[in-house]
Amino acid sequence: MLIGLFGAIFTFFLVAQRTLVPYRELLRWFALLAFAGNLLPKRCYAAAMGMDRVEWFWFNLLAPGPMLLCGALWLNFLLRGPETRVVVPGAAREDIHLYWQMHGELPVHRPWEEVVVAGPDDLVIGLADGALGWAVITSQARVVRQGEP
């Protein structure tokens, strides 16, 4: 159960913050994955695990549910499509994921190929579609002026 709990915390800060998926949708997926094990008949797990209904409920909530959700997030992050790069003007100090969570879309941006001159506060973001259909921020870098390290 500790693996499920700490794995979920680790994955949330590492992968979920780079995945463009609403927190409400993540919560719905967690609820589905955590409570699906409770639909198994008692005879399937009672003899093997020695748990009653309440223990089985908490076990599913703390172990398989978080581990399955973490696995889905990692699968989406690691098996992704080709990266497209975009430039977000003046967003070097802005949290792109937070902006996306609040507005449901990325800030005003242009494709990297169309940018002729970029300002020093512009942000270059790499985006890719994940295996489960959630977009992923693959890279994020600030545009630096020529001659700067």
Side-chain angles (χ1 to χ4, degrees):
M1 286 193 278
L2 287 175
I3 293 171
L5 226 80
F6 288 119
I9 293 169
F10 175 74
T11 300
F12 180 78
F13 286 111
L14 193 66
V15 178
Q17 295 298 316
R18 297 182 72 155
T19 305
L20 300 180
V21 58
Y23 290 141
R24 294 179 109 178
E25 188 173 341
L26 277 181
L27 188 61
R28 281 190 294 231
W29 277 105
F30 172 72
L32 173 73
L33 295 171
F35 296 115
N38 293 319
L39 300 175
L40 290 173
K42 189 174 180 181
R43 69 178 183 275
C44 292
Y45 64 86
M49 308 238 350
M51 294 184 185
D52 63 2
R53 278 277 185 208
V54 175
E55 290 171 328
W56 183 250
F57 171 78
W58 284 108
F59 174 75
N60 280 303
L61 190 64
L62 297 175
M67 283 192 280
L68 290 172
L69 181 64
C70 292
L73 283 171
W74 278 104
L75 179 76
N76 184 66
F77 183 74
L78 295 175
L79 300 178
R80 56 183 181 250
E83 179 186 62
T84 58
R85 293 171 41 173
V86 297
V87 176
V88 181
R93 292 176 186 85
E94 190 170 345
D95 185 5
I96 299 299
H97 186 264
L98 180 63
Y99 185 93
W100 187 87
Q101 285 289 342
M102 293 177 70
H103 301 285
E105 62 185 10
L106 289 173
V108 177
H109 59 279
R110 296 177 302 196
W112 176 254
E113 294 80 23
E114 294 178 7
V115 176
V116 177
V117 177
D121 288 334
D122 292 355
L123 193 64
V124 180
I125 300 172
L127 298 171
D129 288 330
L132 301 177
W134 298 322
V136 174
I137 300 172
T138 57
S139 63
Q140 192 169 339
R142 188 174 153 227
V143 174
V144 293
R145 286 182 242 175
Q146 225 173 8
E148 283 186 14

